[in-house]
Protein backbone atom coordinates (compact mmCIF):
# COMPACT_ATOMS: atom_id res chain seq x y z
CA UNK A 1 0.00 0.00 0.00
CA UNK A 2 1.29 3.44 -0.94
CA UNK A 3 2.18 5.66 2.01
CA UNK A 4 1.19 9.32 1.39
CA UNK A 5 2.91 10.93 4.37
CA UNK A 6 5.50 13.49 3.27
CA UNK A 7 4.59 13.48 -0.42
CA UNK A 8 2.72 16.80 -0.47
CA UNK A 9 5.45 18.39 1.65
CA UNK A 10 8.16 17.04 -0.66
CA UNK A 11 6.42 18.35 -3.80
CA UNK A 12 5.88 21.78 -2.22
CA UNK A 13 9.57 22.08 -1.25
CA UNK A 14 10.70 20.89 -4.69
CA UNK A 15 8.57 23.54 -6.42
CA UNK A 16 9.35 26.38 -4.02
CA UNK A 17 13.01 25.38 -3.47
CA UNK A 18 12.50 26.44 0.14
CA UNK A 19 11.18 24.73 3.26
CA UNK A 20 9.87 28.04 4.59
CA UNK A 21 8.00 28.91 1.37
CA UNK A 22 6.62 25.38 1.17
CA UNK A 23 5.33 25.62 4.75
CA UNK A 24 3.63 28.91 3.96
CA UNK A 25 2.05 27.41 0.87
CA UNK A 26 0.75 24.39 2.81
CA UNK A 27 -0.31 26.38 5.87
CA UNK A 28 1.82 24.38 8.29
CA UNK A 29 5.05 24.99 10.21
CA UNK A 30 8.49 24.78 8.64
CA UNK A 31 9.48 22.24 11.30
CA UNK A 32 6.59 20.00 10.30
CA UNK A 33 7.58 20.15 6.63
CA UNK A 34 11.16 19.31 7.53
CA UNK A 35 10.10 16.35 9.67
CA UNK A 36 7.83 14.92 7.00
CA UNK A 37 10.48 15.25 4.27
CA UNK A 38 13.15 13.70 6.50
CA UNK A 39 10.82 10.79 7.31
CA UNK A 40 10.12 10.34 3.59
CA UNK A 41 13.85 10.26 2.80
CA UNK A 42 14.36 7.66 5.52
CA UNK A 43 11.52 5.52 4.20
CA UNK A 44 12.91 5.69 0.66
CA UNK A 45 16.52 5.38 1.81
CA UNK A 46 17.26 8.17 -0.64
CA UNK A 47 18.43 11.75 -0.33
CA UNK A 48 15.87 13.97 -2.08
CA UNK A 49 17.38 17.42 -1.47
CA UNK A 50 20.74 19.11 -1.18
CA UNK A 51 20.47 21.53 1.75
CA UNK A 52 22.66 24.53 2.52
CA UNK A 53 22.01 27.55 4.72
CA UNK A 54 21.12 29.55 1.62
CA UNK A 55 19.55 27.15 -0.85
CA UNK A 56 17.58 23.94 -1.23
CA UNK A 57 17.94 22.01 -4.50
CA UNK A 58 16.53 18.71 -5.69
CA UNK A 59 18.86 15.73 -6.17
CA UNK A 60 18.77 13.61 -9.32
CA UNK A 61 16.80 10.93 -7.47
CA UNK A 62 14.54 13.66 -6.12
CA UNK A 63 13.81 14.92 -9.65
CA UNK A 64 12.70 11.45 -10.73
CA UNK A 65 10.52 11.03 -7.64
CA UNK A 66 9.07 14.52 -8.10
CA UNK A 67 7.89 13.84 -11.66
CA UNK A 68 5.95 10.76 -10.53
CA UNK A 69 4.53 12.45 -7.41
CA UNK A 70 3.43 15.51 -9.39
CA UNK A 71 1.49 13.35 -11.82
CA UNK A 72 -0.21 11.53 -8.95
CA UNK A 73 -1.14 14.78 -7.16
CA UNK A 74 -2.42 16.32 -10.40
CA UNK A 75 -4.61 13.28 -10.88
CA UNK A 76 -6.00 13.60 -7.37
CA UNK A 77 -6.69 17.29 -7.88
CA UNK A 78 -8.53 16.53 -11.11
CA UNK A 79 -10.58 13.89 -9.32
CA UNK A 80 -11.54 16.34 -6.57
CA UNK A 81 -12.46 19.03 -9.08
CA UNK A 82 -14.66 16.54 -10.92
CA UNK A 83 -16.59 15.97 -7.69
CA UNK A 84 -17.23 19.64 -6.92
CA UNK A 85 -19.03 22.52 -8.54
CA UNK A 86 -15.93 24.71 -8.79
CA UNK A 87 -16.24 24.79 -12.56
CA UNK A 88 -19.67 26.37 -12.18
CA UNK A 89 -19.03 28.68 -9.22
CA UNK A 90 -15.41 29.79 -8.70
CA UNK A 91 -14.61 30.21 -5.03
CA UNK A 92 -11.61 30.44 -2.75
CA UNK A 93 -8.39 32.42 -3.05
CA UNK A 94 -6.84 33.86 -6.20
CA UNK A 95 -3.43 35.54 -6.06
CA UNK A 96 -2.14 37.49 -9.05
CA UNK A 97 0.26 40.29 -9.84
CA UNK A 98 0.44 42.88 -12.62
CA UNK A 99 2.46 46.01 -13.54
CA UNK A 100 1.41 49.13 -11.66
CA UNK A 101 0.00 51.43 -14.35
CA UNK A 102 -1.54 48.80 -16.60
CA UNK A 103 -2.81 47.04 -13.50
CA UNK A 104 -4.48 50.15 -12.09
CA UNK A 105 -6.03 51.23 -15.38
CA UNK A 106 -7.00 47.91 -16.94
CA UNK A 107 -6.42 44.73 -14.93
CA UNK A 108 -7.84 45.82 -11.56
CA UNK A 109 -11.21 46.96 -13.01
CA UNK A 110 -11.53 43.67 -14.91
CA UNK A 111 -10.68 41.65 -11.80
CA UNK A 112 -13.26 43.67 -9.86
CA UNK A 113 -15.88 42.87 -12.50
CA UNK A 114 -14.93 39.19 -12.25
CA UNK A 115 -15.40 39.27 -8.47
CA UNK A 116 -18.82 40.88 -8.95
CA UNK A 117 -19.76 37.83 -11.00
CA UNK A 118 -18.31 35.39 -8.48
CA UNK A 119 -18.50 36.97 -5.00
CA UNK A 120 -17.28 33.80 -3.26
CA UNK A 121 -13.77 34.51 -4.56
CA UNK A 122 -11.09 36.11 -2.38
CA UNK A 123 -8.65 37.96 -4.62
CA UNK A 124 -5.25 39.35 -3.73
CA UNK A 125 -3.94 41.59 -6.53
CA UNK A 126 -0.37 42.86 -6.09
CA UNK A 127 0.47 45.74 -8.44
CA UNK A 128 4.22 46.03 -8.80
CA UNK A 129 6.79 46.46 -11.56
CA UNK A 130 9.07 43.94 -9.85
CA UNK A 131 9.30 40.40 -11.22
CA UNK A 132 8.02 38.33 -8.32
CA UNK A 133 8.76 34.66 -7.61
CA UNK A 134 5.40 33.12 -8.47
CA UNK A 135 6.20 29.69 -7.04
CA UNK A 136 7.96 30.83 -3.88
CA UNK A 137 5.27 33.41 -3.10
CA UNK A 138 2.37 31.18 -4.16
CA UNK A 139 0.92 33.34 -6.93
CA UNK A 140 -1.55 31.77 -9.33
CA UNK A 141 -0.53 33.99 -12.23
CA UNK A 142 1.18 37.20 -13.30
CA UNK A 143 0.30 39.64 -16.08
CA UNK A 144 3.38 40.70 -18.06
CA UNK A 145 3.81 43.15 -20.94
CA UNK A 146 6.05 43.13 -23.99
CA UNK A 147 8.74 40.61 -24.81
CA UNK A 148 8.87 37.71 -22.39
CA UNK A 149 12.14 36.56 -20.91
CA UNK A 150 13.07 32.92 -21.27
CA UNK A 151 11.82 31.12 -18.20
CA UNK A 152 10.32 27.91 -16.94
CA UNK A 153 6.88 29.54 -16.79
CA UNK A 154 3.94 28.74 -19.00
CA UNK A 155 2.58 31.72 -20.94
CA UNK A 156 -0.76 32.58 -22.50
CA UNK A 157 -1.14 35.61 -24.75
CA UNK A 158 -4.17 37.56 -23.57
CA UNK A 159 -4.07 40.43 -26.05
CA UNK A 160 -1.65 42.97 -27.51
CA UNK A 161 -0.51 46.54 -27.05
CA UNK A 162 1.11 49.04 -29.42
CA UNK A 163 3.83 51.64 -28.85
CA UNK A 164 3.13 55.11 -30.25
CA UNK A 165 5.55 57.95 -30.93
CA UNK A 166 3.61 61.20 -30.66
CA UNK A 167 3.78 64.91 -29.91
CA UNK A 168 1.41 67.82 -29.45
CA UNK A 169 0.40 70.06 -32.37
CA UNK A 170 2.08 72.97 -30.53
CA UNK A 171 5.43 71.19 -30.39
CA UNK A 172 5.22 70.14 -34.04
CA UNK A 173 4.27 73.63 -35.23
CA UNK A 174 7.38 74.99 -33.50
CA UNK A 175 9.93 72.27 -34.24
CA UNK A 176 8.48 70.46 -37.24
CA UNK A 177 7.69 66.82 -37.92
CA UNK A 178 10.38 64.11 -37.88
CA UNK A 179 10.05 62.25 -41.19
CA UNK A 180 12.69 59.58 -40.53
CA UNK A 181 14.26 57.83 -37.56
CA UNK A 182 17.53 59.71 -38.05
CA UNK A 183 15.71 63.04 -37.60
CA UNK A 184 14.82 62.14 -34.01
CA UNK A 185 18.28 63.31 -32.92
CA UNK A 186 17.17 66.85 -33.83
CA UNK A 187 14.21 66.67 -31.43
CA UNK A 188 13.60 66.74 -27.70
CA UNK A 189 12.72 63.11 -26.96
CA UNK A 190 11.22 62.58 -23.52
CA UNK A 191 12.96 59.62 -21.91
CA UNK A 192 11.60 56.90 -19.65
CA UNK A 193 13.59 54.10 -18.00
CA UNK A 194 15.52 53.40 -21.22
CA UNK A 195 17.67 55.69 -23.36
CA UNK A 196 16.36 54.22 -26.62
CA UNK A 197 13.08 53.80 -28.47
CA UNK A 198 11.95 50.68 -30.31
CA UNK A 199 11.08 50.62 -34.00
CA UNK A 200 10.72 48.16 -36.83
CA UNK A 201 12.14 48.57 -40.34
CA UNK A 202 11.74 45.98 -43.10
CA UNK A 203 10.82 43.35 -40.56
CA UNK A 204 13.83 43.98 -38.32
CA UNK A 205 13.76 45.56 -34.89
CA UNK A 206 15.78 48.72 -34.30
CA UNK A 207 16.62 50.44 -31.03
CA UNK A 208 17.21 54.15 -31.66
CA UNK A 209 19.13 56.16 -29.04
CA UNK A 210 17.26 59.26 -27.96
CA UNK A 211 17.96 62.28 -25.77
CA UNK A 212 15.93 65.04 -24.24
CA UNK A 213 15.65 67.38 -21.28
CA UNK A 214 13.26 65.19 -19.25
CA UNK A 215 13.88 61.69 -17.92
CA UNK A 216 11.21 60.08 -15.75
CA UNK A 217 10.07 56.56 -14.87
CA UNK A 218 6.38 57.59 -14.89
CA UNK A 219 4.46 57.24 -18.14
CA UNK A 220 1.81 59.68 -16.89
CA UNK A 221 4.47 62.33 -16.23
CA UNK A 222 5.92 61.87 -19.72
CA UNK A 223 2.43 62.06 -21.21
CA UNK A 224 1.81 65.33 -19.37
CA UNK A 225 5.07 66.75 -20.69
CA UNK A 226 4.15 65.77 -24.24
CA UNK A 227 0.68 67.32 -23.92
CA UNK A 228 2.30 70.56 -22.75
CA UNK A 229 4.44 70.69 -25.89
CA UNK A 230 7.79 69.98 -24.23
CA UNK A 231 8.83 67.16 -26.55
CA UNK A 232 8.11 63.90 -28.35
CA UNK A 233 7.23 60.74 -26.42
CA UNK A 234 7.00 56.99 -27.06
CA UNK A 235 4.38 55.32 -24.87
CA UNK A 236 2.05 52.30 -24.95
CA UNK A 237 -1.43 52.76 -26.36
CA UNK A 238 -3.23 52.77 -23.01
CA UNK A 239 -1.47 56.03 -22.11
CA UNK A 240 -2.01 57.98 -25.33
CA UNK A 241 -5.12 56.67 -27.12
CA UNK A 242 -7.55 59.23 -25.61
CA UNK A 243 -5.20 62.11 -26.49
CA UNK A 244 -4.67 60.76 -30.02
CA UNK A 245 -8.44 60.47 -30.49
CA UNK A 246 -9.02 64.04 -29.25
CA UNK A 247 -6.22 65.51 -31.38
CA UNK A 248 -4.22 66.65 -28.35
CA UNK A 249 -1.42 64.38 -29.63
CA UNK A 250 -0.43 63.43 -33.17
CA UNK A 251 1.01 60.02 -34.05
CA UNK A 252 4.43 60.13 -35.74
CA UNK A 253 6.71 57.75 -37.66
CA UNK A 254 3.95 55.18 -38.09
CA UNK A 255 5.81 53.55 -40.99
CA UNK A 256 8.42 52.39 -38.47
CA UNK A 257 6.00 51.48 -35.68
CA UNK A 258 6.95 48.19 -34.06
CA UNK A 259 4.58 45.26 -34.42
CA UNK A 260 2.26 44.95 -31.46
CA UNK A 261 3.70 43.70 -28.18
CA UNK A 262 2.03 40.95 -26.25
CA UNK A 263 0.00 41.17 -23.06
CA UNK A 264 0.67 37.88 -21.33
CA UNK A 265 -0.44 35.79 -18.40
CA UNK A 266 2.28 33.55 -17.04
CA UNK A 267 2.00 30.78 -14.47
CA UNK A 268 4.17 27.95 -13.13
CA UNK A 269 4.29 25.03 -15.56
CA UNK A 270 4.15 22.46 -12.77
CA UNK A 271 1.00 23.94 -11.30
CA UNK A 272 -2.20 22.55 -12.75
CA UNK A 273 -4.57 25.38 -13.65
CA UNK A 274 -7.63 25.30 -11.43
CA UNK A 275 -10.99 26.11 -13.06
CA UNK A 276 -11.18 29.47 -11.27
CA UNK A 277 -7.78 30.52 -12.68
CA UNK A 278 -8.69 29.28 -16.14
CA UNK A 279 -11.99 31.17 -16.00
CA UNK A 280 -10.20 34.37 -14.96
CA UNK A 281 -7.72 33.95 -17.83
CA UNK A 282 -10.58 33.46 -20.29
CA UNK A 283 -12.35 36.53 -18.90
CA UNK A 284 -9.24 38.73 -19.10
CA UNK A 285 -8.48 37.55 -22.63
CA UNK A 286 -12.03 38.13 -23.88
CA UNK A 287 -12.27 41.56 -22.25
CA UNK A 288 -8.86 42.81 -23.40
CA UNK A 289 -9.38 41.66 -26.96
CA UNK A 290 -12.83 43.26 -27.00
CA UNK A 291 -11.32 46.55 -25.82
CA UNK A 292 -8.74 46.34 -28.61
CA UNK A 293 -11.44 45.82 -31.24
CA UNK A 294 -13.41 48.81 -29.98
CA UNK A 295 -10.33 51.04 -30.06
CA UNK A 296 -9.41 50.13 -33.63
Amino acid sequence: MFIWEGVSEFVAVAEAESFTAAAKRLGISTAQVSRQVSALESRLSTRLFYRTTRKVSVTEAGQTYYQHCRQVLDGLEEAERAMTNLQLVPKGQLRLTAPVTFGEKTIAPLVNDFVLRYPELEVQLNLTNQKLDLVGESYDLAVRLGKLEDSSMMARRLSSRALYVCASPEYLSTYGFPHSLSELEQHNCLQGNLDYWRFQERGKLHNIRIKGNIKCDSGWALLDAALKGIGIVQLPDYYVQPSLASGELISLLEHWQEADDGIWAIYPQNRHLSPKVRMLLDYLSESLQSDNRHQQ
Side-chain angles (χ1 to χ4, degrees):
M1 182 176 177
F2 189 82
I3 300 175
W4 290 100
E5 289 183 355
V7 172
S8 296
E9 292 83 351
F10 160 72
V11 169
V13 174
E15 292 180 349
E17 295 184 335
S18 164
F19 281 77
T20 301
K24 182 178 179 182
R25 176 173 160 183
L26 296 171
I28 59 179
S29 70
T30 304
Q32 185 176 348
V33 172
S34 181
R35 282 196 301 270
Q36 292 283 19
V37 171
S38 295
L40 180 62
E41 288 178 318
S42 296
R43 191 168 75 241
L44 297 174
S45 299
T46 303
R47 188 176 186 179
L48 299 173
F49 295 107
Y50 296 115
R51 301 168 175 84
T52 69
T53 55
R54 295 186 176 181
K55 187 177 181 182
V56 174
S57 58
V58 185
T59 64
E60 183 176 356
Q63 286 284 3
T64 300
Y65 191 63
Y66 168 79
Q67 295 299 329
H68 289 283
C69 290
R70 183 69 268 176
Q71 290 178 15
V72 171
L73 291 178
D74 285 345
L76 285 172
E77 290 171 6
E78 285 283 13
E80 286 197 4
R81 281 193 290 269
M83 300 303 293
T84 67
N85 66 348
L86 283 177
Q87 296 198 31
L88 298 176
V89 183
K91 61 181 68 174
Q93 291 190 337
L94 265 176
R95 300 189 75 228
L96 65 152
T97 178
V100 175
T101 299
F102 187 70
E104 289 176 336
K105 186 176 186 299
T106 303
I107 297 299
L110 291 178
V111 170
N112 292 340
D113 290 340
F114 191 71
V115 172
L116 279 175
R117 288 188 180 187
Y118 306 109
E120 293 184 67
L121 284 171
E122 298 177 17
V123 174
Q124 180 179 343
L125 173 58
N126 187 351
L127 300 181
T128 175
N129 294 327
Q130 296 180 348
K131 301 296 176 65
L132 302 179
D133 178 0
L134 303 190
V135 174
E137 300 185 45
S138 300
Y139 280 94
D140 293 297
L141 63 94
V143 175
R144 298 277 166 83
L145 306 176
K147 303 293 185 295
L148 290 180
E149 302 173 357
D150 291 336
S151 75
S152 60
M153 297 288 152
M154 299 294 290
R156 173 174 170 180
R157 188 182 181 109
L158 300 176
S159 187
S160 61
R161 66 168 188 171
L163 287 175
Y164 284 89
V165 174
C166 44
S168 69
E170 292 76 18
Y171 176 90
L172 296 172
S173 67
T174 302
Y175 300 101
F177 284 70
H179 297 289
S180 66
L181 300 184
S182 61
E183 291 181 29
L184 283 175
E185 66 182 15
Q186 304 167 21
H187 287 269
N188 192 34
C189 298
L190 308 175
Q191 185 178 329
N193 288 323
L194 304 174
D195 62 354
Y196 62 85
W197 287 350
R198 292 158 40 191
F199 295 94
Q200 184 169 290
E201 186 174 14
R202 297 176 184 175
K204 294 184 179 180
L205 298 179
H206 289 276
N207 293 333
I208 303 297
R209 297 281 179 184
I210 51 99
K211 59 182 180 180
N213 65 351
I214 288 182
K215 180 178 181 180
C216 182
D217 61 0
S218 165
W220 296 118
L222 295 176
L223 173 63
D224 180 73
L227 289 170
K228 291 175 177 175
I230 296 175
I232 301 176
V233 73
Q234 185 182 63
L235 286 171
D237 46 19
Y238 48 86
Y239 284 102
V240 299
Q241 276 174 335
S243 300
L244 290 171
S246 68
E248 294 176 283
L249 291 177
I250 296 175
S251 180
L252 307 170
L253 302 171
E254 292 181 345
H255 181 71
W256 291 275
Q257 186 174 4
E258 185 184 12
D260 288 356
D261 265 343
I263 299 173
W264 305 88
I266 67 169
Y267 49 90
Q269 63 176 340
N270 292 326
R271 184 173 300 168
H272 200 93
L273 278 183
S274 65
K276 61 188 174 186
V277 175
R278 187 179 295 110
M279 289 177 70
L280 175 60
L281 288 176
D282 290 343
Y283 181 78
L284 292 176
S285 178
E286 179 183 345
S287 301
L288 291 171
Q289 291 181 34
S290 176
D291 287 346
N292 268 357
R293 288 192 294 269
H294 291 155
Q295 292 166 0
Q296 290 174 356

